[in-house]
């Protein structure tokens, strides 16, 4: 099975900082990768799919990049409302294989 | 509006069964693959199972294979998760989620509010 890892597991940054979260797949997954945001006590929200496509309604300060095994989620200017845990997820073109990464918790310094 | 509403959670003893339901509204339910995802208290997200739009294909996480069964009734716009032989480690919030309507992409764009399942004696 393809495993997903994320780094760091948590980070603390100041408002306005550029924040980067890394997700790595144990094998190549092309661009079959999504990013989700889960605020405390809330339901997960889709931010990005196909590694770099911004979901409708998501602020443009969020961006994604990567292909194959290495992916990044970038918040260009961290805002207080971005405090959340961020998960990457792989999905295959065929059914099966929807593994989530362990998550990265983002706080405000 | 597009909505998913789970029900059926509760407290159950180890080894017993429980069936979760997810009522869909606001979209053509029969056109989309659907998933169950769970989250143990204080832990991350774990994908559980997927069913194709017509119910012909189903896949499960290894942790639930042989114990859980995903199904759907497109006439009732409802997704189900039959959970048998429940274990303490199945304790979690269970979410149903809809696949996004983008060709070649199976990310989850709509999530329900979740239903809590607690397995305890």
């Amino acid at each position: 099975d393809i495993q997903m890892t994320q780094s760091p597991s948590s980070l603390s940054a100041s408002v306005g900082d550029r924040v980067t979260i890394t997700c790595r797949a144990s094998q190549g997954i092309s661009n079959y990768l999504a990013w989700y945001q889960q605020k405390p006590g809330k339901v997960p929200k889709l931010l990005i799919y196909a590694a770099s496509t911004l979901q409708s309604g998501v602020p443009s300060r969020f961006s994604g990049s990567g292909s194959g095994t290495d992916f990044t989620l970038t918040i260009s200017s961290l805002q207080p409302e971005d405090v959340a845990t961020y998960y990457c997820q792989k999905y295959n073109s065929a059914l099966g294989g929807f593994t989530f990464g362990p998550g990265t918790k983002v706080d405000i310094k | 509006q597009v909505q998913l509403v789970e029900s059926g959670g509760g407290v159950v003893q180890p080894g017993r069964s429980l069936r979760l339901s997810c009522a869909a509204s606001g979209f053509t339910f029969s056109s989309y693959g659907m998933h169950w995802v769970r989250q143990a208290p204080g832990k991350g997200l774990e994908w559980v199972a997927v069913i194709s739009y017509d119910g012909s294909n189903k896949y499960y996480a290894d942790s639930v294979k042989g114990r859980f069964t995903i199904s759907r009734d497109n006439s009732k716009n409802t997704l189900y998760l039959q959970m048998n032989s429940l274990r303490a480690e199945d304790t979690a919030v269970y979410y149903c989620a809809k696949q996004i309507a983008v060709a070649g992409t199976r990310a989850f764009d709509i999530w329900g509010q979740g239903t809590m399942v607690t397995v305890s004696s």
Side-chain angles (χ1 to χ4, degrees):
Chain A
D1 286 358
I2 299 174
Q3 304 302 315
M4 306 300 292
T5 58
Q6 287 183 235
S7 61
S9 57
S10 65
L11 67 88
S12 186
S14 299
V15 172
D17 281 354
R18 183 181 184 87
V19 169
T20 299
I21 299 168
T22 298
C23 176
R24 180 162 292 170
S26 59
Q27 299 176 39
I29 58 170
S30 185
N31 69 336
Y32 298 123
L33 187 102
W35 290 96
Y36 299 86
Q37 174 194 64
Q38 187 177 31
K39 296 183 178 181
K42 302 297 185 183
V43 174
K45 174 187 175 182
L46 176 64
L47 296 177
I48 287 167
Y49 61 91
S52 61
T53 303
L54 202 65
Q55 170 69 341
S56 175
V58 173
S60 59
R61 63 180 179 274
F62 292 93
S63 64
S65 65
S67 183
T69 59
D70 295 315
F71 304 86
T72 59
L73 172 70
T74 299
I75 308 173
S76 60
S77 177
L78 187 68
Q79 300 301 304
E81 60 266 32
D82 300 334
V83 169
T85 299
Y86 294 84
Y87 297 92
C88 63
Q89 179 207 27
K90 73 165 183 71
Y91 53 87
N92 292 343
S93 57
L95 287 178
F98 297 87
T99 311
F100 289 92
T104 295
K105 187 175 181 180
V106 174
D107 285 325
I108 299 291
K109 192 181 295 183
Chain B
Q1 73 279 22
V2 177
Q3 194 172 10
L4 297 171
V5 179
E6 302 93 338
S7 61
V11 179
V12 61
Q13 293 179 328
R16 304 299 290 267
S17 299
L18 205 61
R19 188 177 84 156
L20 306 182
S21 299
C22 170
S25 59
F27 66 99
T28 306
F29 179 72
S30 59
S31 296
Y32 295 95
M34 295 293 296
H35 299 255
W36 287 99
V37 177
R38 68 185 181 183
Q39 187 168 35
K43 303 297 184 182
L45 301 171
E46 179 186 14
W47 173 76
V48 173
V50 59
I51 186 168
S52 59
Y53 70 99
D54 60 356
S56 62
N57 290 293
K58 306 172 186 180
Y59 291 89
Y60 301 90
D62 287 344
S63 58
V64 306
K65 202 173 296 181
R67 299 188 299 123
F68 289 12
T69 301
I70 189 172
S71 62
R72 65 191 298 160
D73 186 335
N74 286 343
S75 68
K76 296 182 178 179
N77 290 340
T78 303
L79 175 72
Y80 301 100
L81 185 68
Q82 177 67 43
M83 304 186 295
N84 298 332
S85 302
L86 282 162
R87 306 166 179 168
E89 55 264 36
D90 296 318
T91 295
V93 174
Y94 285 74
Y95 298 101
C96 61
K98 166 190 165 293
Q99 280 182 190
I100 193 170
V102 175
T105 295
R106 288 180 166 79
F108 309 162
D109 64 337
I110 304 296
W111 296 63
Q113 288 300 307
T115 187
M116 183 70 201
V117 173
T118 302
V119 183
S120 173
S121 55

